[in-house]
Amino acid sequence: MTDKTFTLTNDQTGEKWTLPVFEGTQGPSTIDIRSLYADTGFFTLDPSFTSTASCKSRITYIDGDEGILQHRGYDIKDLAENTSYLEVCHALLYGDLPNTAEKAEFENNITYHTMVHEQLHYFYRGFRRDAHPMAIMCGVVGALSSFYHDSLDIWDPEQREISAHRLIAKMPTLAAMTLKYSLGQPFVYPNNELSYSANFLNMCFSVPAEKYHVSPTLERAMDKILILHADHEQNASTSTVRIAGSSQANPFACIASGIASLWGPAHGGANQAVLEMLRQIGHKDNIPEFLERAKDKNDPFRLMGFGHRVYKNYDPRATVLKSSCDAVLDELGVDDPLLDLARELERIALEDPYFAERKLFPNVDFYSGIILKAMGFPEEMFTVLFAVSRTVGWISQWKEMIEEPSHRIGRPRQLYTGATERKVRPLDQRDPSRQEAAE
Ligand code: SDX
């Protein structure tokens, strides 16, 4: 807290209230309104939280105007170029990148939790083969808690840590099983001799009938994609995890709630929606027509992979992914016309006043799908990969909230605009044409 304050005045009564200001290490300061309702009888109204800080956090910092993303103070480009995903996991969970000994210990802890209980295989059998992979992930991750009754005490730091390790370690295994199930191929067990990303690729793409060699290019591209999606401040799915965790639900249930929230095409589902959009556009000659549709409020079409609640500049993750596109596709010998179409769409959109005025730039989802498609992933798996990566962000934010001594259950209020009190009428006297009491 600072000695700075804001004074609030009720212009109808002249009453004044002094509200304390909290300043962070960087970014906007906050006005503490926790006592506002008790003091004034008024709520604040901020339906999609455009001006609301839901918590204090030390994990991730975003400057939307400058297009800056930092995890524990490290710039995302620096992390993407110079660390591994598990090193970033260590930083998000514990506050700093690991030294040599810490890295070896953390990698060992994760590696030795990659297998899932054999009973989980039967959970998959209950789904249709064409079930959306995110539907399966919502189910099996939520069900994980039923296998770990020994580590559900959220007040025990050791059990919180083992749950975090289990989730980070098992998400790739569950995700790969989801892919294999959709393909009708046998599940591939984890191989503890492989790196985190190589193991994931092996579980996804190897088959018992032949040897599979994990390409170092794919392994590095996978690790970089996981780094870029690891955490992102208080986004919709992270806020979902925090709210679920505030009720003291177990961490597996909280992560399952994050997966459900991430699935939406306005959020993590956008990476799949971008490919669908590019295919719908089909050819660069059709771009102007679709840009006009994106501007038309009466047309539900939106430019998927464009725009962001926080970034009013280039999403730095999109910049890294865009530059990786060439390298990965060249290395894989993939010539995807959708990449050329994406580039042309971005070029034309950024020249269009509608998008420029609203500061709509490509976000993390605009290029990620093109790389994932080139790597051999079906489009329906793209958001699952996002969830695999984001699990460390979700569980780190959950851990930070649980370890905050002052945390309480999250319980927003509302501005009520419905019917005021009225009597129940006998069934034969209720007007069939009545409307809900007008707002
Ligand atoms: C992610 O929050 C995070 O950090 C999320 C994320 C993470 O890592 O966790 O970064 C991951 O979810 C990235 C975003 C992926 N979603 C998409 O690409 C879907 C397409 N984008 C839009 O749906 C939208 O931009 C959002 C949902 C991302 C942001 O929505 P906002 O902040 O509510 O923006 P808005 O709707 O208020 O838009 C402001 C204006 C509006 O026009 P006006 O009313 O001012 O005339 O911009 C327009 C919008 O209509 N607009 C778009 C647009 N996005 C916003 N118009 C056309 N196409 C778009 N994509």
Side-chain angles (χ1 to χ4, degrees), residues 48 50 62 228-229 231-238 262 264-271 274 294-295 297 301-312 315 317 354-355 358 360 363-366 386 390:
S48 53
T50 49
I62 301 172
L228 292 170
H229 290 78
D231 190 52
H232 210 241
E233 202 213 60
Q234 305 310 320
N235 58 83
S237 52
T238 297
L262 185 73
H267 189 14
N271 51 20
V274 166
K295 304 172 194 174
K297 302 302 176 199
F301 178 82
R302 286 289 175 273
L303 214 47
M304 302 315 282
F306 254 74
H308 199 277
R309 170 60 56 76
V310 177
Y311 289 123
K312 302 309 171 190
D315 180 334
R317 302 167 296 175
Y354 176 93
F355 294 90
R358 290 166 178 78
L360 302 176
N363 59 51
V364 67
D365 294 303
F366 191 66
F386 198 148
R390 187 53 60 86

Side-chain angles (χ1 to χ4, degrees), residues 419-431:
T420 54
E421 187 173 7
R422 51 185 173 156
K423 289 297 179 194
V424 173
R425 293 183 180 178
L427 190 56
D428 61 359
Q429 293 177 31
R430 290 175 201 163
D431 173 0

Side-chain angles (χ1 to χ4, degrees), residues 103-116:
K103 179 179 178 184
E105 182 188 6
F106 187 69
E107 286 178 344
N108 189 61
N109 283 336
I110 298 303
T111 301
Y112 285 92
H113 283 289
T114 49
M115 285 183 70
V116 295

Side-chain angles (χ1 to χ4, degrees), residues 89-222:
C89 289
H90 187 282
L92 291 170
L93 266 178
Y94 301 116
D96 210 338
L97 291 169
N99 60 32
T100 306
E102 290 165 336
K103 179 179 178 184
E105 182 188 6
F106 187 69
E107 286 178 344
N108 189 61
N109 283 336
I110 298 303
T111 301
Y112 285 92
H113 283 289
T114 49
M115 285 183 70
V116 295
H117 196 290
E118 199 70 4
Q119 290 291 107
L120 263 168
H121 290 206
Y122 299 108
F123 281 72
Y124 284 76
R125 304 268 179 262
F127 291 98
R128 290 165 49 118
R129 292 277 179 176
D130 63 354
H132 194 288
M134 284 296 277
I136 298 176
M137 291 299 286
C138 286
V140 294
V141 173
L144 271 183
S145 59
S146 66
F147 293 89
Y148 300 114
H149 292 298
D150 67 330
S151 65
L152 296 182
D153 177 358
I154 64 171
W155 307 117
D156 176 345
E158 283 185 18
Q159 293 189 36
R160 287 201 296 270
E161 183 169 54
I162 184 69
S163 293
H165 291 174
R166 279 175 167 152
L167 281 157
I168 295 166
K170 297 177 194 302
M171 281 295 281
T173 309
L174 296 172
M177 289 167 70
T178 301
L179 172 59
K180 287 307 196 184
Y181 187 69
S182 71
L183 298 172
Q185 293 179 356
F187 298 142
V188 175
Y189 286 95
N191 176 345
N192 290 348
E193 291 171 9
L194 298 174
S195 73
Y196 188 90
S197 291
N199 178 47
F200 178 52
L201 293 168
N202 185 59
M203 292 189 292
C204 287
F205 297 123
S206 72
V207 290
E210 54 194 45
K211 276 207 175 298
Y212 175 76
H213 170 67
V214 180
S215 141
T217 303
L218 279 182
E219 179 181 4
R220 185 62 198 135
M222 189 74 254

Side-chain angles (χ1 to χ4, degrees), residues 324-336 339 370-371 374:
S324 302
C325 267
D326 277 333
V328 173
L329 270 64
D330 288 351
E331 290 266 351
L332 297 173
V334 171
D335 177 17
D336 188 346
L339 176 57
I370 290 165
I371 296 181

